[in-house]
């Protein structure tokens, strides 16, 4: 790396970090929680839809929390067993007998129709059942994953937020499990990068053009789902939560996204390979399977996350103070904006300077996602591989 090249890269990276810190919707702040809310005069009815495929490992930690919801209105839980081979459906019924609470229905939709992802096919079946099982359809649908545990007041607080602010979609990004070494290194960064792409404050502004949701916890007004034509309108989407939010927003619905306080993922990712598969299965789909977008993403990750420490070390070694200063300041801004997310995940501040290494891992995961796609193994999850939408 020449001295001039290093200096230009360092100052470009510093400029990028100044822009990200000040002009990207304050993405690094972690204080976006459920909006101010009061109890409604009449508690609306809710159907909780849980798509589940081979979830016997995590279901004992999640399903009882849904059955135990302290909700004043009418509510039920529908678990859609999406072709499980580990006894997920039978386990759910046993858990319901051992943990009486909200009524539970276990159903199965059969294999997905052509052009559908498994999760959205399961959601379609669950939503249809919820809308036709009773004389009146539910006012709201809580779409939540089988690995998500809810505190007893979770549903009540979500409904209060939706009714108080007249929101059609309220989504909370569940607090992911952070126990092992790799989880500590990778998981907080996953949420940090997501917020950088989809700043919560920008999404939540009236009239916003940015849309996203967190698929683990989505409260959706039934009428808004009908207007948006979901899930049919997004049946091919691998990144279904963002697609869902966009569909609701395009149909005139108001959406909200924030961090959760009392909604947690119980799925373990003990090894780097587990986390690698979680990211790589959809990373290239996020880039719409476009090689130019992949190249731009790789270049952006290098400039924003890898150049700062490299410029600092190069500047110090070459005696080029300006390069070292620019690289060091960019690295400081990077670490400083990462600190709130580490605090949210109750992790030590000492992990903040390691973000360039984590970003390198994400870069490699993204490239691997593209490689697997072109090998015909892209967007693979639990025994299924999904084609790009144009090929489905």
């Amino acid at each position: 790396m020449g001295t001039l090249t290093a200096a230009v890269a360092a100052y470009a990276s510093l400029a990028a970090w100044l822009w990200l810190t000040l002009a990207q919707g304050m993405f690094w702040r972690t204080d976006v929680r459920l909006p101010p809310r009061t109890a409604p005069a009449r508690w609306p009815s809710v159907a909780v839809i849980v798509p589940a495929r081979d979830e016997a490992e995590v279901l004992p930690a999640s399903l009882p929390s849904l059955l135990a919801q302290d909700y004043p209105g009418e509510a039920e839980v529908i678990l859609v067993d999406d072709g499980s081979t580990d006894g997920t459906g039978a386990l759910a019924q046993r858990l319901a007998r051992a943990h009486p609470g909200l009524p539970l229905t276990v159903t199965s939709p059969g294999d997905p129709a052509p052009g559908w992802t498994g999760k959205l096919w399961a959601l379609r079946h669950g939503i249809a059942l919820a809308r036709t099982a009773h004389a009146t359809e539910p006012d709201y649908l809580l779409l939540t994953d089988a690995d998500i545990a809810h505190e007893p007041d979770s549903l009540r607080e979500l409904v209060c937020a939706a009714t108080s602010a007249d929101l059609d979609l309220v989504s909370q990004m569940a607090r992911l499990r952070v126990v092992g070494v790799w989880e500590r290194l990778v998981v907080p960064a996953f949420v940090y990068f997501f917020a950088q792409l989809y700043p919560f404050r920008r999404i939540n502004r009236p009239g916003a053009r940015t849309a996203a949701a967190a698929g683990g916890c989505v409260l959706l007004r039934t009428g808004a789902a009908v207007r948006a034509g979901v899930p049919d309108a997004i049946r091919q989407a691998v990144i279904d939560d963002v697609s869902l939010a966009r569909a609701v927003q395009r149909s005139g619905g108001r959406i909200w996204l924030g961090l959760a306080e009392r909604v947690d993922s119980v799925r373990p990712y003990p090894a780097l390979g587990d986390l690698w598969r979680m990211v790589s299965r959809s990373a290239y789909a996020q880039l719409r399977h476009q090689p130019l977008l992949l190249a731009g993403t790789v270049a952006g990750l290098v400039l924003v996350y890898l150049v700062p420490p490299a410029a600092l070390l190069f500047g110090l070694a070459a005696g080029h103070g300006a390069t070292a200063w620019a690289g060091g300041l960019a690295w400081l801004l990077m670490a400083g904006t990462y600190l709130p997310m580490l605090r949210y995940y109750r992790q030590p501040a000492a992990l903040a300077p390691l973000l360039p290494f984590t970003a390198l891992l994400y870069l490699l995961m993204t490239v691997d996602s593209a490689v697997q796609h072109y090998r015909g193994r892209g967007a693979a999850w639990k025994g299924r591989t999904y084609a790009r939408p144009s090929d489905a």
Side-chain angles (χ1 to χ4, degrees):
M1 181 187 295
T3 301
L4 179 60
T5 302
V8 170
Y11 278 102
S13 183
L14 177 57
W17 273 108
L18 287 170
W19 181 83
L20 286 169
T21 303
L22 300 175
Q24 184 60 359
M26 297 295 174
F27 77 93
W28 43 271
R29 294 182 59 172
T30 56
D31 57 349
V32 182
R33 310 299 169 89
L34 283 177
R37 54 207 179 274
T38 58
R42 180 190 71 85
W43 288 94
S45 57
V46 182
V48 182
I49 314 295
V50 186
R53 179 174 170 83
D54 292 336
E55 298 288 12
E57 179 184 3
V58 297
L59 213 58
S62 60
L63 184 58
S65 75
L66 288 171
L67 301 175
Q69 285 301 296
D70 178 20
Y71 185 66
E74 180 183 345
E76 64 175 332
V77 179
I78 299 174
L79 184 137
V80 187
D81 185 2
D82 179 21
S84 299
T85 59
D86 65 351
T88 289
L91 174 59
Q93 292 172 331
R94 292 197 300 272
L95 289 169
R97 290 192 293 268
H99 302 274
L102 297 184
L104 172 71
T105 299
V106 176
T107 183
S108 179
D111 292 334
W116 283 82
T117 65
K119 179 180 177 180
L120 289 172
W121 181 248
L123 285 176
R124 180 181 187 270
H125 185 75
I127 291 171
L129 180 60
R131 295 183 61 199
T132 58
H134 306 289
T136 58
E137 64 182 23
D139 299 301
Y140 287 91
L141 306 163
L142 175 59
L143 314 179
T144 185
D145 289 345
D147 64 340
I148 302 299
H150 294 252
E151 292 294 328
D153 62 350
S154 173
L155 178 57
R156 186 172 69 243
E157 295 301 315
L158 285 165
V159 169
C160 286
T163 56
S164 297
D166 192 26
L167 297 167
D168 294 287
L169 183 153
V170 177
S171 180
Q172 288 185 294
M173 176 160 284
R175 200 190 305 258
L176 305 177
R177 180 182 183 270
V178 177
V179 176
V181 172
W182 288 110
E183 288 173 332
R184 295 174 187 272
L185 192 64
V186 173
V187 167
F190 177 82
V191 183
Y192 174 87
F193 294 146
F194 183 92
Q196 194 175 82
L197 286 172
Y198 305 104
F200 297 163
R201 279 179 170 74
R202 193 168 289 172
I203 291 168
N204 298 340
R205 287 200 304 252
R209 304 179 69 177
T210 304
C217 178
V218 177
L219 182 72
L220 176 63
R221 197 193 306 267
T222 305
V226 173
R227 284 198 309 273
V230 295
D232 297 61
I234 58 170
R235 60 187 178 276
Q236 296 177 333
V238 175
I239 307 174
D240 51 85
D241 43 13
V242 174
S243 299
L244 171 63
R246 287 173 177 164
V248 171
Q249 187 188 72
R250 282 197 301 267
S251 65
R254 292 189 59 202
I255 67 175
W256 185 95
L257 172 64
L259 293 173
E261 292 177 319
R262 296 162 70 76
V263 178
D264 300 280
S265 172
V266 297
R267 188 182 303 283
Y269 292 98
L272 177 59
D274 301 313
L275 291 159
W276 194 288
R277 284 186 290 274
M278 177 190 75
V279 175
S280 65
R281 71 185 178 94
S282 60
Y284 198 41
Q286 178 73 51
L287 301 176
R288 302 196 293 277
H289 304 100
Q290 296 294 324
L292 287 179
L293 285 178
L294 174 66
T297 298
V298 169
L301 286 170
V302 170
L303 176 66
V304 173
Y305 290 100
L306 304 187
V307 164
L312 174 61
L313 295 176
F314 177 86
L316 291 175
H320 199 278
T323 300
W325 177 86
L329 184 54
W331 197 359
L332 183 64
L333 286 172
M334 182 196 315
T337 59
Y338 190 37
L339 282 173
M341 190 61 70
L342 289 173
R343 284 197 294 268
Y344 172 74
Y345 273 97
R346 307 181 186 97
Q347 297 304 306
L351 291 175
L354 300 180
L355 190 55
F357 174 71
T358 304
L360 175 61
L361 289 178
Y362 274 90
L363 185 156
L364 296 174
M365 293 173 190
T366 302
V367 171
D368 181 60
S369 179
V371 170
Q372 296 306 317
H373 169 77
Y374 289 111
R375 288 180 175 176
R377 298 195 297 270
W381 186 245
K382 294 191 176 182
R384 290 180 178 143
T385 300
Y386 299 110
R388 58 189 295 177
S390 60
D391 298 336

